[in-house]
Amino acid sequence: MDKWIIQFSISIAELVSNPKEFEGKSIQLTGTCVKINPNIMNRNWIHLQDGSGEGLDLTVTTLENIPLGAVLTLEGLITLNKDFGA
């Protein structure tokens, strides 16, 4: 049986207002890189803002080197309360 992946295009405000609604689901969002914490635990930690809420910031991890100010459209699976083993 084929597994269908449902993808949502949402804002950071939507995600923050009800994160459990999106847990385990594939979503898409677009934001601007406003802060970078490179090479922490072998990952680059990218902070994104999309203007959907004052001061709302979404942090994602990647192995890619993303420049400050870059506008990104990201797709991924929402995982809450992830333990990175720190």
Side-chain angles (χ1 to χ4, degrees), residues 12 29-36 46-50 58 60 62 64-74:
I12 294 173
L29 65 88
T30 300
T32 301
C33 177
V34 297
K35 181 178 176 183
I36 305 163
I46 309 301
H47 297 253
L48 299 174
Q49 292 183 353
D50 65 0
L58 178 69
V60 298
T62 182
E64 300 296 322
N65 293 314
I66 306 298
L68 192 62
V71 176
L72 309 171
T73 298
L74 303 174

Side-chain angles (χ1 to χ4, degrees), residues 9-82:
S9 183
I10 64 170
S11 68
I12 294 173
E14 288 175 285
L15 179 60
V16 170
S17 70
N18 193 3
K20 288 186 179 186
E21 178 183 337
F22 301 103
E23 185 174 18
K25 295 179 180 173
S26 179
I27 62 111
Q28 179 183 62
L29 65 88
T30 300
T32 301
C33 177
V34 297
K35 181 178 176 183
I36 305 163
N37 297 102
N39 201 26
I40 297 173
M41 296 171 32
N42 298 318
R43 295 171 180 87
N44 296 322
W45 299 69
I46 309 301
H47 297 253
L48 299 174
Q49 292 183 353
D50 65 0
S52 63
E54 189 173 330
L56 283 182
D57 189 282
L58 178 69
T59 305
V60 298
T61 60
T62 182
L63 299 176
E64 300 296 322
N65 293 314
I66 306 298
L68 192 62
V71 176
L72 309 171
T73 298
L74 303 174
E75 297 178 11
L77 189 67
I78 296 298
T79 304
L80 304 177
N81 301 315
K82 181 162 177 75

Side-chain angles (χ1 to χ4, degrees), residues 41 83-86:
M41 296 171 32
D83 182 357
F84 285 94

